[in-house]
Amino acid sequence: MKKPVRNPREVAEIVAVQALSFIAGDAERLGLFLAESGLGPETLRHAAADPRFLASVLDFVMRDDATVKAFASVSQLHPTNIAAAHQALNDPKWERDVP
């Protein structure tokens, strides 16, 4: 039996991983994200373990209303939930928990 996720940070990281999968599902969107992040496709999996990278994934999604709406539709999340995850990952109080 899986342990329920209760920490808002954990939930936000799950949303960010879903957003990364959403980005990777569209070649044009993925190309733009990789160009902006400076990463290559081979380094995405390793980068996804870094909470700061996950915050940048949601930064990318949140900056464009059409992208937020598309991700919300695919993930079946309300845009306010995506915004809350974005806020949680960018909350400075969590920075002390980052290695």
Side-chain angles (χ1 to χ4, degrees):
M1 179 178 226
K2 275 178 100 173
K3 181 177 120 182
V5 178
R6 294 200 170 101
N7 179 329
R9 178 67 177 216
E10 290 177 45
V11 173
E13 288 178 359
I14 290 167
V15 171
V17 169
Q18 291 175 324
L20 181 58
S21 177
F22 165 75
I23 291 167
D26 179 271
E28 185 177 332
R29 191 177 290 129
L30 178 60
L32 181 58
F33 178 75
L34 292 175
E36 290 181 13
S37 68
L39 295 173
E42 68 284 350
T43 58
L44 275 180
R45 182 166 294 190
H46 178 71
D50 182 351
R52 290 171 289 214
F53 172 76
L54 293 177
S56 74
V57 169
L58 289 182
D59 289 343
F60 179 84
V61 169
M62 290 296 296
R63 72 170 190 214
D64 177 60
D65 285 343
T67 304
V68 173
K69 288 177 184 176
F71 174 54
S73 176
V74 167
S75 65
Q76 298 182 336
L77 293 170
H78 193 276
T80 57
N81 295 111
I82 299 167
H86 179 251
Q87 183 177 3
L89 288 177
N90 285 292
D91 188 339
K93 78 175 186 173
W94 293 103
E95 286 297 316
R96 64 179 170 265
D97 296 335
V98 176

